[in-house]
Amino acid sequence: MIEAFGRTDVGRRRKANEDSFLVAPDSHLYAVCDGMGGHNAGEVASQMAIESLADFVQKSAAESEITWPWGLDANLSFDANRLKTGIRLANSEVFQSAGQREDLAGMGTTIVAGLVADAVLTLCSAGDSRCYLVRDGEMQQLTKDDSWVSAALGEGILSSDDVEKHPLRNVITKAVGARDSIDLDVVEHTFQPGDVALLCSDGLHGMVSDDDIARLLLSSLDSLEVATSRLVDAANEAGGRDNVTAVLLRYSEGG
């Protein structure tokens, strides 16, 4: 059984909230998007991506004759195919809309999405929105950032000490809607009872260290609503430079 709660906040520096999130227990889908683009284009992109993904996930569960635009990857599970196809469809919709309206030109969005079936969490992401797993008092990052500094760190160009203050730390290398196609990796993790997953935008992890995120979570997991509030409040207290969004999932057996 999954218990879930999400919260988003505009932060202390931005006039509009371009983050969107989804908590959809009926379809077992959970997602966070962080939009980008001028005026309200980022807000449009993030909401469009959420709606497009949710629509395909819902249809693919209910309709046996649904069209799979890119076919099915035999190396992936059914849910992994659903999630990957849904995000690719979202990418196409955001990209085409950006090309059709001048006020939406250049819009795009990060995404981190999880689909839960029984005890399996299927994850897919693009950009620097993240998923963490809290288990037995420890937290680990399950997704990989699609960012310049992450790539540079992996290649040994930067050290971990350089990343936090690097002038290119906010440059992402992949986003939904940025190009006409998107390359996506899908990973699956098996929940254990008591596991908690955190999906969040960089408005949280860019303002609050992983150690502090873990400390806040571990001290407030009796209530997911309280935990999300504490995470958002911590990001704002640290400066609130960006919109901040957090979605928490807790797995338990039965139900």
Side-chain angles (χ1 to χ4, degrees):
M1 183 178 75
I2 293 291
E3 174 192 359
F5 191 85
R7 182 182 169 194
T8 188
D9 189 87
V10 70
R12 294 187 174 175
R13 304 284 184 88
R14 302 292 180 90
K15 294 181 179 179
N17 192 347
E18 295 186 325
D19 285 4
S20 297
F21 75 89
L22 178 71
V23 172
D26 288 347
S27 56
H28 314 290
L29 178 65
Y30 308 88
V32 169
C33 288
D34 178 1
M36 62 201 78
H39 303 294
N40 70 335
E43 180 182 351
V44 172
S46 65
Q47 190 60 38
M48 186 179 294
I50 289 280
E51 291 174 357
S52 180
L53 171 61
D55 181 63
F56 181 78
V57 166
Q58 186 174 25
K59 285 182 177 177
S60 59
E63 301 176 19
S64 60
E65 299 300 322
I66 193 168
T67 300
W68 296 81
W70 297 276
L72 286 165
D73 185 340
N75 295 313
L76 297 178
S77 69
F78 179 63
D79 278 344
N81 273 288
R82 293 169 70 202
L83 196 56
K84 186 173 182 178
T85 299
I87 294 177
R88 291 177 76 178
L89 285 168
N91 181 78
S92 296
E93 186 170 347
V94 174
F95 180 79
Q96 290 172 11
S97 296
Q100 292 168 355
R101 287 176 48 182
E102 185 176 346
D103 60 327
L104 301 181
M107 73 174 178
T109 183
T110 71
I111 192 168
V112 57
L115 193 57
V116 181
D118 296 322
V120 177
L121 170 65
T122 303
L123 283 171
C124 190
S125 64
D128 57 2
S129 290
R130 294 178 179 176
C131 180
Y132 296 93
L133 178 70
V134 178
R135 173 181 290 170
D136 296 332
E138 297 185 356
M139 187 178 81
Q140 63 171 313
Q141 183 177 335
L142 298 183
T143 53
K144 182 179 70 174
D145 291 354
D146 297 305
S147 65
W148 188 90
V149 293
S150 180
L153 183 64
E155 294 175 8
I157 298 172
L158 294 178
S159 70
S160 56
D161 294 335
D162 297 328
V163 168
E164 198 169 303
K165 297 182 180 179
H166 198 279
L168 298 180
R169 64 186 180 278
N170 294 322
V171 175
I172 62 173
T173 55
K174 187 184 296 183
V176 171
R179 299 179 179 177
D180 61 351
S181 63
I182 188 168
D183 184 35
L184 297 165
D185 293 321
V186 186
V187 294
E188 293 183 323
H189 297 269
T190 300
F191 276 131
Q192 295 179 9
D195 280 355
V196 173
L198 165 66
L199 280 62
C200 66
S201 63
D202 73 329
L204 175 60
H205 68 74
M207 299 302 301
V208 184
S209 70
D210 283 7
D211 286 344
D212 285 339
I213 290 174
R215 178 181 56 80
L216 286 164
L217 279 175
L218 291 168
S219 66
S220 55
L221 283 179
D222 287 345
S223 167
L224 297 189
E225 183 174 359
V226 169
T228 54
S229 294
R230 288 183 177 174
L231 291 171
V232 169
D233 289 347
N236 283 330
E237 289 165 7
R241 290 195 302 264
D242 201 354
N243 312 141
V244 54
T245 302
V247 170
L248 287 172
L249 318 176
R250 174 162 40 214
Y251 174 77
S252 60
E253 289 183 312

